[in-house]
mmCIF file of all heavy atoms in Angstrom:
data_model
loop_
_atom_site.group_PDB
_atom_site.id
_atom_site.type_symbol
_atom_site.label_atom_id
_atom_site.label_comp_id
_atom_site.label_asym_id
_atom_site.label_seq_id
_atom_site.Cartn_x
_atom_site.Cartn_y
_atom_site.Cartn_z
ATOM 1 N N LEU A 126 0.873 -1.181 0.001
ATOM 2 C CA LEU A 126 -0.016 -0.001 -0.017
ATOM 3 C C LEU A 126 0.910 1.236 0.003
ATOM 4 O O LEU A 126 1.759 1.380 0.848
ATOM 5 C CB LEU A 126 -0.926 0.011 1.219
ATOM 6 C CG LEU A 126 -2.116 -0.917 1.211
ATOM 7 C CD1 LEU A 126 -2.845 -0.894 2.542
ATOM 8 C CD2 LEU A 126 -3.095 -0.539 0.095
ATOM 9 N N ASP A 127 0.705 2.089 -0.994
ATOM 10 C CA ASP A 127 1.534 3.268 -1.135
ATOM 11 C C ASP A 127 0.690 4.521 -1.295
ATOM 12 O O ASP A 127 -0.457 4.426 -1.768
ATOM 13 C CB ASP A 127 2.470 3.132 -2.316
ATOM 14 C CG ASP A 127 3.444 1.945 -2.179
ATOM 15 O OD1 ASP A 127 4.331 2.037 -1.362
ATOM 16 O OD2 ASP A 127 3.272 0.960 -2.938
ATOM 17 N N THR A 128 1.258 5.678 -0.967
ATOM 18 C CA THR A 128 0.600 6.935 -1.219
ATOM 19 C C THR A 128 0.957 7.420 -2.621
ATOM 20 O O THR A 128 2.131 7.508 -2.943
ATOM 21 C CB THR A 128 1.033 7.990 -0.161
ATOM 22 O OG1 THR A 128 0.694 7.516 1.136
ATOM 23 C CG2 THR A 128 0.252 9.299 -0.420
ATOM 24 N N LEU A 129 -0.065 7.677 -3.407
ATOM 25 C CA LEU A 129 0.144 8.167 -4.762
ATOM 26 C C LEU A 129 -0.219 9.672 -4.772
ATOM 27 O O LEU A 129 -1.392 10.056 -4.793
ATOM 28 C CB LEU A 129 -0.742 7.417 -5.765
ATOM 29 C CG LEU A 129 -0.695 7.823 -7.217
ATOM 30 C CD1 LEU A 129 0.742 7.699 -7.757
ATOM 31 C CD2 LEU A 129 -1.648 6.999 -8.037
ATOM 32 N N TYR A 130 0.795 10.508 -4.705
ATOM 33 C CA TYR A 130 0.548 11.945 -4.577
ATOM 34 C C TYR A 130 0.052 12.544 -5.881
ATOM 35 O O TYR A 130 0.209 11.962 -6.959
ATOM 36 C CB TYR A 130 1.857 12.615 -4.133
ATOM 37 C CG TYR A 130 2.324 12.199 -2.765
ATOM 38 C CD1 TYR A 130 3.360 11.264 -2.603
ATOM 39 C CD2 TYR A 130 1.693 12.715 -1.611
ATOM 40 C CE1 TYR A 130 3.756 10.856 -1.349
ATOM 41 C CE2 TYR A 130 2.119 12.310 -0.358
ATOM 42 C CZ TYR A 130 3.141 11.384 -0.210
ATOM 43 O OH TYR A 130 3.502 10.985 1.051
ATOM 44 N N LYS A 131 -0.572 13.691 -5.753
ATOM 45 C CA LYS A 131 -1.136 14.390 -6.928
ATOM 46 C C LYS A 131 -0.029 14.685 -7.956
ATOM 47 O O LYS A 131 1.131 14.965 -7.579
ATOM 48 C CB LYS A 131 -1.815 15.658 -6.521
ATOM 49 C CG LYS A 131 -0.937 16.699 -5.852
ATOM 50 C CD LYS A 131 -1.778 17.930 -5.430
ATOM 51 C CE LYS A 131 -0.902 18.988 -4.776
ATOM 52 N NZ LYS A 131 -1.702 20.152 -4.366
ATOM 53 N N ASN A 132 -0.366 14.553 -9.203
ATOM 54 C CA ASN A 132 0.541 14.837 -10.316
ATOM 55 C C ASN A 132 1.911 14.160 -10.150
ATOM 56 O O ASN A 132 2.973 14.759 -10.249
ATOM 57 C CB ASN A 132 0.754 16.356 -10.459
ATOM 58 C CG ASN A 132 -0.530 17.057 -10.813
ATOM 59 O OD1 ASN A 132 -1.209 16.714 -11.772
ATOM 60 N ND2 ASN A 132 -0.904 18.048 -10.014
ATOM 61 N N SER A 133 1.851 12.864 -9.873
ATOM 62 C CA SER A 133 3.110 12.117 -9.674
ATOM 63 C C SER A 133 2.967 10.708 -10.264
ATOM 64 O O SER A 133 1.881 10.206 -10.481
ATOM 65 C CB SER A 133 3.470 12.042 -8.191
ATOM 66 O OG SER A 133 2.533 11.203 -7.500
ATOM 67 N N ASP A 134 4.120 10.094 -10.484
ATOM 68 C CA ASP A 134 4.161 8.714 -10.972
ATOM 69 C C ASP A 134 4.968 7.868 -9.968
ATOM 70 O O ASP A 134 5.840 8.375 -9.293
ATOM 71 C CB ASP A 134 4.893 8.605 -12.346
ATOM 72 C CG ASP A 134 4.189 9.366 -13.409
ATOM 73 O OD1 ASP A 134 3.008 9.777 -13.197
ATOM 74 O OD2 ASP A 134 4.812 9.588 -14.478
ATOM 75 N N THR A 135 4.675 6.602 -9.921
ATOM 76 C CA THR A 135 5.501 5.679 -9.161
ATOM 77 C C THR A 135 6.475 4.990 -10.095
ATOM 78 O O THR A 135 6.392 5.086 -11.304
ATOM 79 C CB THR A 135 4.659 4.589 -8.466
ATOM 80 O OG1 THR A 135 4.088 3.723 -9.461
ATOM 81 C CG2 THR A 135 3.542 5.185 -7.609
ATOM 82 N N ASP A 136 7.462 4.317 -9.516
ATOM 83 C CA ASP A 136 8.251 3.382 -10.336
ATOM 84 C C ASP A 136 7.441 2.124 -10.537
ATOM 85 O O ASP A 136 6.321 1.986 -10.000
ATOM 86 C CB ASP A 136 9.569 3.038 -9.597
ATOM 87 C CG ASP A 136 10.482 4.225 -9.417
ATOM 88 O OD1 ASP A 136 10.514 5.099 -10.322
ATOM 89 O OD2 ASP A 136 11.155 4.305 -8.364
ATOM 90 N N PHE A 137 7.938 1.172 -11.292
ATOM 91 C CA PHE A 137 7.269 -0.134 -11.366
ATOM 92 C C PHE A 137 7.429 -0.846 -10.017
ATOM 93 O O PHE A 137 8.540 -1.005 -9.511
ATOM 94 C CB PHE A 137 7.843 -0.986 -12.503
ATOM 95 C CG PHE A 137 7.243 -0.645 -13.847
ATOM 96 C CD1 PHE A 137 7.923 0.137 -14.726
ATOM 97 C CD2 PHE A 137 5.970 -1.089 -14.155
ATOM 98 C CE1 PHE A 137 7.387 0.467 -15.939
ATOM 99 C CE2 PHE A 137 5.412 -0.790 -15.413
ATOM 100 C CZ PHE A 137 6.114 -0.003 -16.307
ATOM 101 N N ILE A 138 6.321 -1.256 -9.439
ATOM 102 C CA ILE A 138 6.312 -1.894 -8.115
ATOM 103 C C ILE A 138 5.981 -3.373 -8.268
ATOM 104 O O ILE A 138 4.947 -3.727 -8.878
ATOM 105 C CB ILE A 138 5.285 -1.240 -7.156
ATOM 106 C CG1 ILE A 138 5.539 0.259 -7.074
ATOM 107 C CG2 ILE A 138 5.324 -1.873 -5.831
ATOM 108 C CD1 ILE A 138 4.400 1.047 -6.435
ATOM 109 N N GLN A 139 6.845 -4.250 -7.779
ATOM 110 C CA GLN A 139 6.597 -5.659 -7.882
ATOM 111 C C GLN A 139 5.288 -6.015 -7.172
ATOM 112 O O GLN A 139 5.058 -5.604 -6.008
ATOM 113 C CB GLN A 139 7.753 -6.462 -7.284
ATOM 114 C CG GLN A 139 7.617 -7.962 -7.417
ATOM 115 C CD GLN A 139 7.812 -8.456 -8.821
ATOM 116 O OE1 GLN A 139 8.365 -7.776 -9.670
ATOM 117 N NE2 GLN A 139 7.330 -9.668 -9.141
ATOM 118 N N SER A 140 4.422 -6.744 -7.839
ATOM 119 C CA SER A 140 3.137 -7.124 -7.234
ATOM 120 C C SER A 140 3.309 -8.386 -6.392
ATOM 121 O O SER A 140 3.279 -9.485 -6.903
ATOM 122 C CB SER A 140 2.079 -7.354 -8.335
ATOM 123 O OG SER A 140 0.859 -7.651 -7.747
ATOM 124 N N SER A 141 3.515 -8.187 -5.105
ATOM 125 C CA SER A 141 3.758 -9.299 -4.200
ATOM 126 C C SER A 141 2.452 -9.993 -3.805
ATOM 127 O O SER A 141 1.388 -9.388 -3.832
ATOM 128 C CB SER A 141 4.509 -8.787 -2.961
ATOM 129 O OG SER A 141 3.739 -7.765 -2.324
ATOM 130 N N ILE A 142 2.598 -11.248 -3.375
ATOM 131 C CA ILE A 142 1.411 -12.019 -2.981
ATOM 132 C C ILE A 142 1.887 -13.060 -2.003
ATOM 133 O O ILE A 142 3.088 -13.317 -1.834
ATOM 134 C CB ILE A 142 0.780 -12.669 -4.239
ATOM 135 C CG1 ILE A 142 -0.670 -13.065 -3.986
ATOM 136 C CG2 ILE A 142 1.577 -13.817 -4.776
ATOM 137 C CD1 ILE A 142 -1.458 -13.386 -5.243
ATOM 138 N N SER A 143 0.910 -13.714 -1.336
ATOM 139 C CA SER A 143 1.262 -14.714 -0.285
ATOM 140 C C SER A 143 2.131 -15.806 -0.857
ATOM 141 O O SER A 143 1.997 -16.213 -1.996
ATOM 142 C CB SER A 143 -0.009 -15.316 0.291
ATOM 143 O OG SER A 143 -0.878 -14.318 0.831
ATOM 144 N N MET A 144 2.977 -16.347 -0.029
ATOM 145 C CA MET A 144 3.843 -17.470 -0.417
ATOM 146 C C MET A 144 2.995 -18.621 -0.897
ATOM 147 O O MET A 144 1.921 -18.892 -0.363
ATOM 148 C CB MET A 144 4.697 -17.904 0.774
ATOM 149 C CG MET A 144 5.760 -18.915 0.475
ATOM 150 S SD MET A 144 6.754 -19.372 1.941
ATOM 151 C CE MET A 144 7.542 -17.821 2.307
ATOM 152 N N ASN A 145 3.466 -19.305 -1.927
ATOM 153 C CA ASN A 145 2.816 -20.474 -2.530
ATOM 154 C C ASN A 145 1.549 -20.104 -3.325
ATOM 155 O O ASN A 145 0.843 -20.984 -3.812
ATOM 156 C CB ASN A 145 2.426 -21.541 -1.515
ATOM 157 C CG ASN A 145 3.603 -22.100 -0.769
ATOM 158 O OD1 ASN A 145 4.680 -22.275 -1.319
ATOM 159 N ND2 ASN A 145 3.436 -22.360 0.542
ATOM 160 N N CYS A 146 1.287 -18.775 -3.437
ATOM 161 C CA CYS A 146 0.103 -18.351 -4.165
ATOM 162 C C CYS A 146 0.455 -17.401 -5.314
ATOM 163 O O CYS A 146 -0.316 -16.494 -5.629
ATOM 164 C CB CYS A 146 -0.870 -17.644 -3.221
ATOM 165 S SG CYS A 146 -1.551 -18.733 -1.937
ATOM 166 N N GLY A 147 1.591 -17.579 -5.900
ATOM 167 C CA GLY A 147 2.079 -16.592 -6.883
ATOM 168 C C GLY A 147 1.255 -16.494 -8.123
ATOM 169 O O GLY A 147 1.361 -15.534 -8.874
ATOM 170 N N PHE A 148 0.474 -17.541 -8.435
ATOM 171 C CA PHE A 148 -0.285 -17.529 -9.665
ATOM 172 C C PHE A 148 -1.785 -17.682 -9.454
ATOM 173 O O PHE A 148 -2.421 -18.542 -10.010
ATOM 174 C CB PHE A 148 0.265 -18.617 -10.615
ATOM 175 C CG PHE A 148 1.679 -18.313 -11.032
ATOM 176 C CD1 PHE A 148 2.743 -18.844 -10.332
ATOM 177 C CD2 PHE A 148 1.927 -17.409 -12.074
ATOM 178 C CE1 PHE A 148 4.052 -18.553 -10.709
ATOM 179 C CE2 PHE A 148 3.242 -17.106 -12.434
ATOM 180 C CZ PHE A 148 4.293 -17.652 -11.748
ATOM 181 N N ARG A 149 -2.293 -16.848 -8.606
ATOM 182 C CA ARG A 149 -3.732 -16.687 -8.458
ATOM 183 C C ARG A 149 -4.047 -15.200 -8.613
ATOM 184 O O ARG A 149 -3.173 -14.340 -8.435
ATOM 185 C CB ARG A 149 -4.247 -17.194 -7.094
ATOM 186 C CG ARG A 149 -3.722 -16.478 -5.889
ATOM 187 C CD ARG A 149 -4.482 -16.979 -4.637
ATOM 188 N NE ARG A 149 -3.903 -16.500 -3.412
ATOM 189 C CZ ARG A 149 -4.050 -15.276 -2.885
ATOM 190 N NH1 ARG A 149 -4.792 -14.396 -3.535
ATOM 191 N NH2 ARG A 149 -3.480 -14.941 -1.746
ATOM 192 N N PRO A 150 -5.289 -14.861 -8.969
ATOM 193 C CA PRO A 150 -5.629 -13.440 -9.159
ATOM 194 C C PRO A 150 -5.511 -12.642 -7.857
ATOM 195 O O PRO A 150 -5.751 -13.215 -6.769
ATOM 196 C CB PRO A 150 -7.104 -13.481 -9.639
ATOM 197 C CG PRO A 150 -7.313 -14.904 -10.083
ATOM 198 C CD PRO A 150 -6.417 -15.745 -9.235
ATOM 199 N N ASN A 151 -5.138 -11.393 -7.948
ATOM 200 C CA ASN A 151 -5.219 -10.555 -6.776
ATOM 201 C C ASN A 151 -5.754 -9.180 -7.181
ATOM 202 O O ASN A 151 -5.697 -8.771 -8.342
ATOM 203 C CB ASN A 151 -3.850 -10.414 -6.103
ATOM 204 C CG ASN A 151 -2.804 -9.710 -6.890
ATOM 205 O OD1 ASN A 151 -2.245 -10.293 -7.840
ATOM 206 N ND2 ASN A 151 -2.518 -8.464 -6.567
ATOM 207 N N GLN A 152 -6.269 -8.477 -6.203
ATOM 208 C CA GLN A 152 -6.912 -7.171 -6.420
ATOM 209 C C GLN A 152 -5.880 -6.059 -6.463
ATOM 210 O O GLN A 152 -4.994 -5.959 -5.615
ATOM 211 C CB GLN A 152 -7.926 -6.893 -5.340
ATOM 212 C CG GLN A 152 -8.730 -5.586 -5.554
ATOM 213 C CD GLN A 152 -9.649 -5.245 -4.401
ATOM 214 O OE1 GLN A 152 -9.273 -5.419 -3.249
ATOM 215 N NE2 GLN A 152 -10.819 -4.771 -4.714
ATOM 216 N N LEU A 153 -5.995 -5.190 -7.452
ATOM 217 C CA LEU A 153 -5.243 -3.930 -7.511
ATOM 218 C C LEU A 153 -6.272 -2.823 -7.411
ATOM 219 O O LEU A 153 -7.328 -2.895 -8.038
ATOM 220 C CB LEU A 153 -4.499 -3.834 -8.862
ATOM 221 C CG LEU A 153 -3.587 -5.011 -9.221
ATOM 222 C CD1 LEU A 153 -3.019 -4.853 -10.599
ATOM 223 C CD2 LEU A 153 -2.468 -5.131 -8.203
ATOM 224 N N PHE A 154 -5.970 -1.812 -6.611
ATOM 225 C CA PHE A 154 -6.958 -0.755 -6.451
ATOM 226 C C PHE A 154 -6.345 0.624 -6.112
ATOM 227 O O PHE A 154 -5.189 0.723 -5.744
ATOM 228 C CB PHE A 154 -7.985 -1.124 -5.396
ATOM 229 C CG PHE A 154 -7.493 -1.150 -3.970
ATOM 230 C CD1 PHE A 154 -7.285 0.027 -3.243
ATOM 231 C CD2 PHE A 154 -7.292 -2.372 -3.328
ATOM 232 C CE1 PHE A 154 -6.852 0.009 -1.921
ATOM 233 C CE2 PHE A 154 -6.819 -2.411 -2.001
ATOM 234 C CZ PHE A 154 -6.616 -1.221 -1.318
ATOM 235 N N LEU A 155 -7.191 1.624 -6.288
ATOM 236 C CA LEU A 155 -6.887 2.994 -5.903
ATOM 237 C C LEU A 155 -8.015 3.460 -4.961
ATOM 238 O O LEU A 155 -9.183 3.251 -5.258
ATOM 239 C CB LEU A 155 -6.832 3.915 -7.131
ATOM 240 C CG LEU A 155 -5.646 3.726 -8.029
ATOM 241 C CD1 LEU A 155 -5.916 4.244 -9.458
ATOM 242 C CD2 LEU A 155 -4.398 4.350 -7.441
ATOM 243 N N ALA A 156 -7.615 4.063 -3.855
ATOM 244 C CA ALA A 156 -8.612 4.483 -2.856
ATOM 245 C C ALA A 156 -8.352 5.882 -2.379
ATOM 246 O O ALA A 156 -7.261 6.461 -2.561
ATOM 247 C CB ALA A 156 -8.569 3.506 -1.662
ATOM 248 N N ASP A 157 -9.371 6.480 -1.730
ATOM 249 C CA ASP A 157 -9.209 7.803 -1.112
ATOM 250 C C ASP A 157 -8.183 7.695 0.016
ATOM 251 O O ASP A 157 -7.978 6.633 0.618
ATOM 252 C CB ASP A 157 -10.538 8.286 -0.523
ATOM 253 C CG ASP A 157 -11.521 8.635 -1.643
ATOM 254 O OD1 ASP A 157 -11.058 8.945 -2.771
ATOM 255 O OD2 ASP A 157 -12.740 8.574 -1.405
ATOM 256 N N LEU A 158 -7.573 8.819 0.315
ATOM 257 C CA LEU A 158 -6.492 8.869 1.310
ATOM 258 C C LEU A 158 -6.950 8.341 2.668
ATOM 259 O O LEU A 158 -6.164 7.737 3.404
ATOM 260 C CB LEU A 158 -5.995 10.294 1.444
ATOM 261 C CG LEU A 158 -4.654 10.534 2.148
ATOM 262 C CD1 LEU A 158 -3.547 9.759 1.458
ATOM 263 C CD2 LEU A 158 -4.325 12.015 2.188
ATOM 264 N N ASP A 159 -8.227 8.543 2.993
ATOM 265 C CA ASP A 159 -8.720 8.111 4.318
ATOM 266 C C ASP A 159 -8.775 6.583 4.454
ATOM 267 O O ASP A 159 -9.093 6.069 5.527
ATOM 268 C CB ASP A 159 -10.119 8.694 4.557
ATOM 269 C CG ASP A 159 -10.489 8.727 6.028
ATOM 270 O OD1 ASP A 159 -9.597 9.061 6.829
ATOM 271 O OD2 ASP A 159 -11.632 8.386 6.341
ATOM 272 N N TYR A 160 -8.477 5.854 3.373
ATOM 273 C CA TYR A 160 -8.488 4.387 3.440
ATOM 274 C C TYR A 160 -7.555 3.870 4.546
ATOM 275 O O TYR A 160 -7.786 2.837 5.140
ATOM 276 C CB TYR A 160 -8.058 3.811 2.079
ATOM 277 C CG TYR A 160 -8.177 2.316 1.986
ATOM 278 C CD1 TYR A 160 -9.354 1.714 1.586
ATOM 279 C CD2 TYR A 160 -7.059 1.500 2.272
ATOM 280 C CE1 TYR A 160 -9.442 0.314 1.500
ATOM 281 C CE2 TYR A 160 -7.166 0.115 2.196
ATOM 282 C CZ TYR A 160 -8.339 -0.455 1.787
ATOM 283 O OH TYR A 160 -8.432 -1.824 1.700
ATOM 284 N N LEU A 161 -6.490 4.645 4.826
ATOM 285 C CA LEU A 161 -5.523 4.246 5.859
ATOM 286 C C LEU A 161 -5.785 4.857 7.191
ATOM 287 O O LEU A 161 -4.908 4.870 8.081
ATOM 288 C CB LEU A 161 -4.086 4.576 5.375
ATOM 289 C CG LEU A 161 -3.559 3.799 4.187
ATOM 290 C CD1 LEU A 161 -2.123 4.167 3.853
ATOM 291 C CD2 LEU A 161 -3.667 2.304 4.404
ATOM 292 N N ASN A 162 -6.976 5.394 7.397
ATOM 293 C CA ASN A 162 -7.335 5.929 8.685
ATOM 294 C C ASN A 162 -7.140 4.858 9.768
ATOM 295 O O ASN A 162 -7.561 3.710 9.608
ATOM 296 C CB ASN A 162 -8.828 6.341 8.674
ATOM 297 C CG ASN A 162 -9.253 7.129 9.919
ATOM 298 O OD1 ASN A 162 -8.992 6.713 11.026
ATOM 299 N ND2 ASN A 162 -9.817 8.276 9.702
ATOM 300 N N PRO A 163 -6.500 5.182 10.897
ATOM 301 C CA PRO A 163 -6.230 4.203 11.948
ATOM 302 C C PRO A 163 -7.445 3.452 12.461
ATOM 303 O O PRO A 163 -7.328 2.326 12.941
ATOM 304 C CB PRO A 163 -5.630 5.063 13.078
ATOM 305 C CG PRO A 163 -5.000 6.215 12.367
ATOM 306 C CD PRO A 163 -5.903 6.503 11.203
ATOM 307 N N LYS A 164 -8.645 4.051 12.324
ATOM 308 C CA LYS A 164 -9.832 3.399 12.804
ATOM 309 C C LYS A 164 -10.144 2.090 12.074
ATOM 310 O O LYS A 164 -10.885 1.246 12.564
ATOM 311 C CB LYS A 164 -11.048 4.323 12.789
ATOM 312 C CG LYS A 164 -11.535 4.642 11.369
ATOM 313 C CD LYS A 164 -12.733 5.562 11.462
ATOM 314 C CE LYS A 164 -13.264 5.951 10.072
ATOM 315 N NZ LYS A 164 -14.463 6.826 10.157
ATOM 316 N N TYR A 165 -9.558 1.939 10.883
ATOM 317 C CA TYR A 165 -9.789 0.714 10.086
ATOM 318 C C TYR A 165 -8.727 -0.368 10.352
ATOM 319 O O TYR A 165 -8.840 -1.482 9.856
ATOM 320 C CB TYR A 165 -9.795 1.026 8.598
ATOM 321 C CG TYR A 165 -10.826 2.059 8.184
ATOM 322 C CD1 TYR A 165 -10.430 3.170 7.437
ATOM 323 C CD2 TYR A 165 -12.150 1.886 8.491
ATOM 324 C CE1 TYR A 165 -11.369 4.109 7.025
ATOM 325 C CE2 TYR A 165 -13.087 2.809 8.099
ATOM 326 C CZ TYR A 165 -12.694 3.952 7.364
ATOM 327 O OH TYR A 165 -13.637 4.859 6.967
ATOM 328 N N GLN A 166 -7.711 -0.024 11.129
ATOM 329 C CA GLN A 166 -6.622 -0.967 11.389
ATOM 330 C C GLN A 166 -7.017 -1.980 12.449
ATOM 331 O O GLN A 166 -7.877 -1.722 13.285
ATOM 332 C CB GLN A 166 -5.345 -0.224 11.794
ATOM 333 C CG GLN A 166 -4.934 0.859 10.778
ATOM 334 C CD GLN A 166 -4.819 0.316 9.372
ATOM 335 O OE1 GLN A 166 -4.190 -0.678 9.128
ATOM 336 N NE2 GLN A 166 -5.428 1.036 8.424
ATOM 337 N N TYR A 167 -6.344 -3.134 12.416
ATOM 338 C CA TYR A 167 -6.709 -4.230 13.302
ATOM 339 C C TYR A 167 -6.677 -3.842 14.776
ATOM 340 O O TYR A 167 -7.552 -4.236 15.551
ATOM 341 C CB TYR A 167 -5.779 -5.410 13.059
ATOM 342 C CG TYR A 167 -5.990 -6.562 13.986
ATOM 343 C CD1 TYR A 167 -7.111 -7.385 13.876
ATOM 344 C CD2 TYR A 167 -5.105 -6.803 15.063
ATOM 345 C CE1 TYR A 167 -7.329 -8.424 14.742
ATOM 346 C CE2 TYR A 167 -5.356 -7.848 15.966
ATOM 347 C CZ TYR A 167 -6.472 -8.638 15.778
ATOM 348 O OH TYR A 167 -6.666 -9.666 16.667
ATOM 349 N N ASP A 168 -5.642 -3.081 15.180
ATOM 350 C CA ASP A 168 -5.529 -2.698 16.596
ATOM 351 C C ASP A 168 -6.762 -1.943 17.117
ATOM 352 O O ASP A 168 -7.102 -2.052 18.288
ATOM 353 C CB ASP A 168 -4.275 -1.840 16.794
ATOM 354 C CG ASP A 168 -2.986 -2.641 16.692
ATOM 355 O OD1 ASP A 168 -3.107 -3.891 16.731
ATOM 356 O OD2 ASP A 168 -1.923 -2.043 16.548
#
């Protein structure tokens, strides 16, 4: 999970996945900044 700032590009980011599951589909997404609000975290 990375912050994508306005008017900016990222480098190519390796799409990591759980061990032994390298060839199953996974979700890629873009979300509002509040997605990382602490209230949504496990703690």
Side-chain angles (χ1 to χ4, degrees):
L126 283 174
D127 298 290
T128 301
L129 179 59
Y130 295 100
K131 61 182 182 180
N132 296 307
S133 68
D134 298 347
T135 68
D136 295 326
F137 277 101
I138 305 167
Q139 183 71 20
S140 183
S141 56
I142 200 168
S143 302
M144 187 180 297
N145 299 323
C146 296
F148 294 95
R149 63 172 170 79
N151 66 284
Q152 184 186 39
L153 305 174
F154 69 77
L155 290 159
D157 290 334
L158 195 58
D159 199 42
Y160 186 87
L161 293 183
N162 189 309
K164 69 180 179 179
Y165 302 127
Q166 305 308 309
Y167 175 74
D168 288 345

